[in-house]
């Protein structure tokens, strides 16, 4: 039998304890991105609206003072190379040398950059004006929203909306030259927004940045000086969380203003452009009267500003004599205007101290402070009335319109943005918005060119001496475009009709006399031309259109010695007047004064080398040859051949 084996059971290895179950991570959820804030959405909407109402200005050309600051400004036309000169010279130095100039370089620097990048293109200028205006609207909305700590966003939006649509802004946005006003407003409100951030956060960089933005507003246009009053109002009565920070903000404001005023004074003195400004009657007809009549008429015009803020019609590009007749204090409208302003001032002061952070008081005071600069009461300004003067002040009245809708339509003091979609709100906002927007779009079309603007406005202001002058002068520019003699004669006659109407309104309109003389000159009626041109110079010896044209009358008749003193007169008033410099050189060579001729040809080359296809360079070589200076003659012959290879000294 087989031996039984003792088999020992093999011990089993202990089973490992089960691992504790690892908690399974929950499926990773995507963190939803924070959506665009309501404020940003409203900013975009306001920017789009502002762009749409001014989109039709893109088809317009250069108008009014665009000639001085863009088309005929040699520093601007130099592009990047002219920026240094623009920053260190008086405002119009690149066009004309004035004894009473100002200092506003920032807009000119922008124009120079645009000219460098895009050439002489009005559409580009209009595009950037639209873009800047949209920025102004957004900056205003953001400021009003911050001013009341985000608690009155509906009010802020409606005020900015009305500002975007208001027709009184067409002169500023549709006229490229008024880039200075847009930049001034944009940087002024940008500084307010940054100052509010400083009041909240206390970061010194915010204070410095806000002061810098305010300085940029100053070098855009000096009218932001009224913010020396606005800024303390904001930071001692509305955003007054810290008295110390309010004092620092006010100090930053004063420093920015002081630096600007010091720089301005230095530059203007260096170029002898800081003479006391004498307001001319043709610019501001209030200069033609004194005492009670001047004061009453100025108060009447302030009433016209207030009316235009709410009923913007008629909108006219010029308010010269006799668009508004002189009045005394017996005039009911002057007295009504006085009562309105006294009442507004009293109401604003009462509400400012009676109600904490009262928006009505702020809107009224903003209007009164910013419009006061153009009241012509304490001192006269460059015009009796102008739409551009109301650009800042209209923000105040837009606030009042928005507050009226909030109080009497929505019947609440802090409406939410959603309440603007109610039927009551829409019934108030939409009609005002549509009327203002339609008027703005329609008015933009009037700024297509000078002729369209003047021919439209003279119908709305039929007693305005300057508008008839503008019409007559603009018609003469069409003289060379006329296809035949009959067309030219018709232009001359129509131009004379407007110019003579200008003199009927104001017989001493020196500009009209000068333009009548130029018109007779084109028609080859030299005796009548000389009569009116000399009459203009009798009234104003510095009327350079008259002196230049009178010189040209004599030059055309080969009376060179008689032409010389009139071209000299032009050059004395405006040393950069290229036509006068060139023709002065021609007169000197014809009178055999070769050294003087060479001097003025060289001055022409220095200012505008390409004038008349480099003729000054060619003529300089010819005069050197006449003077027997052949080395210099050959040098200028070589220079001239770089531009005209066929040129040879005979």
């Amino acid at each position: 039998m087989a031996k039984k084996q003792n088999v020992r059971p093999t011990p089993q290895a202990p089973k490992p304890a089960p691992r504790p179950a690892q908690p399974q991570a929950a499926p990773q959820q995507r963190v939803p991105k924070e959506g665009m804030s309501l404020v940003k959405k409203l900013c975009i909407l306001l920017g789009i609206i502002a762009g749409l109402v001014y989109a039709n200005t893109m088809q317009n050309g250069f108008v009014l003072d665009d000639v001085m600051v863009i088309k005929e400004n040699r520093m601007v036309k130099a592009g990047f190379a002219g920026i240094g000169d623009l920053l260190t010279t008086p405002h119009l130095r690149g066009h004309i040398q004035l004894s009473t100039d100002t200092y506003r370089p920032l807009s000119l620097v922008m124009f120079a950059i645009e000219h460098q990048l895009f050439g002489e293109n009005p559409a580009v200028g209009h595009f950037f004006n639209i873009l800047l205006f949209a920025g102004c609207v957004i900056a205003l909305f953001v400021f009003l929203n911050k001013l009341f700590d985000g608690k009155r966003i509906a009010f802020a939006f409606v005020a900015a909306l009305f500002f975007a649509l208001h027709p009184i802004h067409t002169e500023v946005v549709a006229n490229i030259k008024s880039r200075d006003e847009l930049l001034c407003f944009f940087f002024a409100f940008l500084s307010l927004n940054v100052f509010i951030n400083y009041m909240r956060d206390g970061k010194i960089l915010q204070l410095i940045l806000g002061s810098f933005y305010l300085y940029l507003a100053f070098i855009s246009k000096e009218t932001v000086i009224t913010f020396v009053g606005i800024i303390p109002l904001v930071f001692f009565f509305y955003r007054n969380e810290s008295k110390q920070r309010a004092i620092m903000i006010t100090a930053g404001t004063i420093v920015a203003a002081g630096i600007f005023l010091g720089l301005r004074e230095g530059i203007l003195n260096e170029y002898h452009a800081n003479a006391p400004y004498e307001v001319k009657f043709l610019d501001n007809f209030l200069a033609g009267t004194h005492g009670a009549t001047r004061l009453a008429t100025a108060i009447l015009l302030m009433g016209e500003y207030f009316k235009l803020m709410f009923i913007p019609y008629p909108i006219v590009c010029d308010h010269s004599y006799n668009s508004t007749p002189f009045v005394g204090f017996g005039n009911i409208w002057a007295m009504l205007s006085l009562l309105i302003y006294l009442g507004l001032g009293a109401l604003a002061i009462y509400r400012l101290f009676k109600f904490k952070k009262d928006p009505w008081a702020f809107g009224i005071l903003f209007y009164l402070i910013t419009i006061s600069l153009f009241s012509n009461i304490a001192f006269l300004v460059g015009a009796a009335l102008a739409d551009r003067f109301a650009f800042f002040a209209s923000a105040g009245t837009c606030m009042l319109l928005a507050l009226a809708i909030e109080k009497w339509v929505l019947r609440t003091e802090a409406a939410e943005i959603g309440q603007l979609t109610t039927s009551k709100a829409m019934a108030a906002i939409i009609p005002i918005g549509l009327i203002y927007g339609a008027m703005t779009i329609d008015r933009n079309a009037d700024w297509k060119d000078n002729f369209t603007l003047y021919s439209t406005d003279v119908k709305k202001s039929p007693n305005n001496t300057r508008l008839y002058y503008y019409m007559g002068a603009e018609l003469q520019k069409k003289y060379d475009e006329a296809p035949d003699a009959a067309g030219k004669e018709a232009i001359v006659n129509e131009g004379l009709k407007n110019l003579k109407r200008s003199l009927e309104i104001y017989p001493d309109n020196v500009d009209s006399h000068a333009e009548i003389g130029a018109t007779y000159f084109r028609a080859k009626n030299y005796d009548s031309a000389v009569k009116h041109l000399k009459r203009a110079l009798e009234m104003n010896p510095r009327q350079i259109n008259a002196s230049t044209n009178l010189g040209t009358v004599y030059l055309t008749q080969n009376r060179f010695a008689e032409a010389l003193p009139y071209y000299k007169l032009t050059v004395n008033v405006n040393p950069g007047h290229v036509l006068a410099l060139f023709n002065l050189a021609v007169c000197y060579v014809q009178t055999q004064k070769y050294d003087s001729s060479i001097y003025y040809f060289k001055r022409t080359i220095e200012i505008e080398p390409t004038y008349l296809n480099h003729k000054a360079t060619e003529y300089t070589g010819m005069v050197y040859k006449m003077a027997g200076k052949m080395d210099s003659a050959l040098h200028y012959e070589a220079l001239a051949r770089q531009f005209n290879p066929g040129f040879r000294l005979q």
Side-chain angles (χ1 to χ4, degrees):
M1 171 187 270
K3 187 177 179 181
K4 186 177 179 181
Q5 295 185 2
N6 187 13
V7 179
R8 305 174 75 183
T10 305
Q12 292 185 356
K15 293 182 179 179
R19 292 182 181 179
Q22 295 290 332
Q24 288 191 352
Q28 189 173 7
Q29 296 180 354
R30 291 184 180 179
V31 178
K33 291 183 180 179
E34 186 178 345
M36 184 181 293
S37 70
L38 176 62
V39 170
K40 289 182 180 178
K41 290 178 181 177
L42 294 177
C43 286
I44 292 171
L45 178 59
L46 287 168
I48 291 171
I49 292 171
L52 288 175
V53 293
Y54 284 98
N56 63 330
T57 62
M58 290 282 292
Q59 61 192 355
N60 295 351
F62 293 118
V63 184
L64 291 179
D65 292 345
D66 291 345
V67 171
M68 292 194 297
V69 299
I70 301 173
K71 289 194 69 177
E72 295 180 5
N73 191 304
R74 63 181 182 278
M75 294 180 188
V76 168
K77 292 171 74 173
F80 293 155
I83 291 176
D85 290 333
L86 292 171
L87 289 170
T88 55
T89 57
H91 182 54
L92 294 177
R93 190 75 176 184
H95 173 74
I96 187 172
Q97 296 186 26
L98 299 173
S99 60
T100 54
D101 210 336
T102 187
Y103 180 65
R104 303 174 186 171
L106 195 56
S107 59
L108 299 180
V109 169
M110 280 196 72
F111 296 144
I113 294 170
E114 290 165 28
H115 191 278
Q116 179 75 43
L117 299 178
F118 306 104
E120 192 175 283
N121 188 341
V124 172
H126 287 297
F127 170 78
F128 283 109
N129 269 27
I130 295 169
L131 199 63
L132 261 174
F133 179 64
C136 291
V137 173
I138 292 169
L140 173 62
F141 165 67
V142 172
F143 164 70
L144 292 176
N145 188 48
K146 285 184 176 182
L147 183 66
F148 298 102
D149 206 19
K151 296 174 182 176
R152 306 189 80 114
I153 191 168
F155 150 72
F157 176 79
V158 174
L161 175 66
F162 288 157
F163 186 83
L165 299 171
H166 205 298
I168 206 167
H169 301 151
T170 50
E171 177 181 354
V172 171
V173 187
N175 187 193
I176 302 173
K177 173 265 171 195
S178 288
R179 179 79 57 80
D180 54 3
E181 197 80 55
L182 291 167
L183 286 166
C184 183
F185 188 100
F186 177 73
F187 283 115
F189 275 88
L190 195 58
S191 72
L192 286 176
N193 284 314
V194 176
F195 281 148
I196 289 178
N197 293 344
Y198 170 70
M199 177 61 80
R200 182 192 63 212
D201 303 331
K203 296 179 180 178
I204 194 66
L205 183 60
Q206 294 167 328
L207 176 64
I208 295 171
L209 190 60
S211 302
F212 176 68
Y213 286 147
L214 189 62
Y215 173 76
L216 292 180
F218 272 110
I219 64 171
S220 299
K221 195 171 184 181
E222 62 279 0
T223 51
V224 77
I225 195 70
T226 56
F227 268 49
V228 174
I230 294 293
I231 287 174
L233 173 66
V234 171
F235 294 103
F236 282 99
F237 289 91
Y238 289 85
R239 294 307 302 260
N240 54 349
E241 295 93 326
S242 167
K243 185 176 180 180
Q244 182 181 0
R245 291 176 189 174
I247 293 172
M248 292 294 290
I249 290 169
T250 304
T253 300
I254 293 171
V255 168
I259 292 173
F260 164 74
L261 292 173
L263 181 62
R264 178 184 186 274
E265 184 78 7
I267 288 173
L268 295 184
N269 283 338
E270 181 180 351
Y271 288 91
H272 307 289
N274 206 16
Y277 181 67
E278 181 182 354
V279 178
K280 298 177 182 177
F281 179 82
L282 281 174
D283 294 327
N284 183 343
F285 61 84
L286 291 172
T289 188
H290 300 278
T293 300
R294 175 188 286 186
L295 181 58
T297 307
I299 291 171
L300 175 68
L301 291 169
M302 290 297 289
E304 180 67 14
Y305 274 124
F306 191 72
K307 190 264 299 184
L308 288 171
M309 294 295 174
F310 301 99
I311 307 173
Y313 185 86
I315 299 289
V316 181
C317 69
D318 183 89
H319 294 268
S320 299
Y321 181 82
N322 183 35
S323 55
T324 300
F326 292 116
V327 300
F329 281 104
N331 182 275
I332 187 173
W333 299 111
M335 292 306 298
L336 179 60
S337 175
L338 179 61
L339 290 174
I340 288 172
Y341 278 91
L342 290 176
L344 285 172
L347 179 62
I349 297 301
Y350 169 76
R351 294 189 67 98
L352 182 67
F353 291 100
K354 179 70 174 178
F355 304 105
K356 186 179 180 181
K357 301 183 180 181
D358 181 61
W360 289 91
F362 183 78
I364 294 170
L365 288 172
F366 189 93
Y367 170 74
L368 293 177
I369 292 171
T370 52
I371 201 67
S372 65
L373 196 63
F374 309 104
S375 66
N376 284 299
I377 293 175
F379 53 87
L380 295 183
V381 294
L385 188 147
D387 294 349
R388 64 187 178 277
F389 293 166
F391 189 64
F392 270 83
S394 65
T397 52
C398 288
M399 294 177 211
L400 298 181
L401 270 175
L403 287 169
I405 289 173
E406 186 181 67
K407 183 174 180 63
W408 290 300
V409 177
L410 299 179
R411 296 186 179 278
T412 178
E413 292 187 353
E416 297 293 334
I417 199 70
Q419 292 176 263
L420 298 181
T421 60
T422 63
S423 57
K424 286 184 179 180
M426 301 290 272
I429 296 170
I430 289 178
I432 296 174
L434 287 177
I435 292 170
Y436 279 8
M439 291 176 69
T440 297
I441 293 169
D442 182 64
R443 179 60 178 167
N444 290 341
D446 296 340
W447 286 84
K448 177 184 177 183
D449 52 44
N450 282 334
F451 183 78
T452 304
L453 183 64
Y454 302 148
S455 59
T456 299
D457 286 5
V458 76
K459 297 171 186 175
K460 293 184 282 187
S461 186
N463 295 314
N464 186 316
T465 181
R466 180 166 266 178
L467 281 176
Y468 281 107
Y469 156 71
Y470 284 151
M471 271 292 293
E474 199 60 32
L475 280 164
Q476 299 316 304
K477 294 177 183 177
K478 298 180 177 293
Y479 181 85
D480 293 332
E481 301 172 8
D484 50 38
K488 293 182 185 299
E489 184 179 1
I491 288 172
V492 167
N493 291 337
E494 184 65 21
L496 287 173
K497 177 182 174 182
N498 281 275
L499 293 167
K500 289 178 178 179
R501 173 60 182 145
S502 172
L503 291 179
E504 288 175 9
I505 298 169
Y506 180 55
D508 289 336
N509 189 330
V510 61
D511 295 334
S512 293
H513 278 291
E515 193 60 39
I516 288 175
T519 303
Y520 278 127
F521 168 57
R522 292 186 188 93
K524 296 183 173 56
N525 187 341
Y526 298 130
D527 291 341
S528 294
V530 169
K531 173 185 173 182
H532 282 278
L533 293 171
K534 285 188 173 181
R535 174 64 180 139
L537 289 172
E538 287 172 8
M539 291 188 287
N540 181 8
R542 297 176 64 85
Q543 220 294 347
I544 60 175
N545 287 338
S547 57
T548 305
N549 281 314
L550 190 52
T552 306
V553 170
Y554 289 133
L555 178 66
T556 302
Q557 297 176 304
N558 295 328
R559 296 159 66 178
F560 304 109
E562 292 174 83
L564 275 169
Y566 294 106
Y567 285 131
K568 283 183 181 178
L569 183 58
T570 298
V571 171
N572 286 338
V573 176
N574 180 13
H577 198 293
V578 178
L579 184 148
L581 289 168
F582 184 87
N583 285 349
L584 191 56
V586 170
C587 290
Y588 273 124
V589 74
Q590 293 295 338
T591 54
Q592 299 183 351
K593 296 179 179 179
Y594 300 134
D595 288 343
S596 295
S597 175
I598 289 168
Y599 172 80
Y600 284 106
F601 276 135
K602 286 184 176 180
R603 285 282 294 125
T604 304
I605 296 168
E606 179 184 339
I607 293 171
E608 192 171 336
T610 62
Y611 185 68
L612 291 181
N613 196 24
H614 299 276
K615 286 297 181 186
T617 304
E618 296 179 8
Y619 288 0
T620 302
M622 294 167 65
V623 178
Y624 268 126
K625 181 179 179 181
M626 293 178 188
K629 300 178 180 180
M630 288 307 299
D631 288 344
S632 296
L634 293 172
H635 171 71
Y636 275 90
E637 179 187 44
L639 289 176
R641 289 181 62 187
Q642 294 178 16
F643 312 108
N644 180 8
F647 174 73
R648 294 286 189 279
L649 288 174
Q650 300 299 322

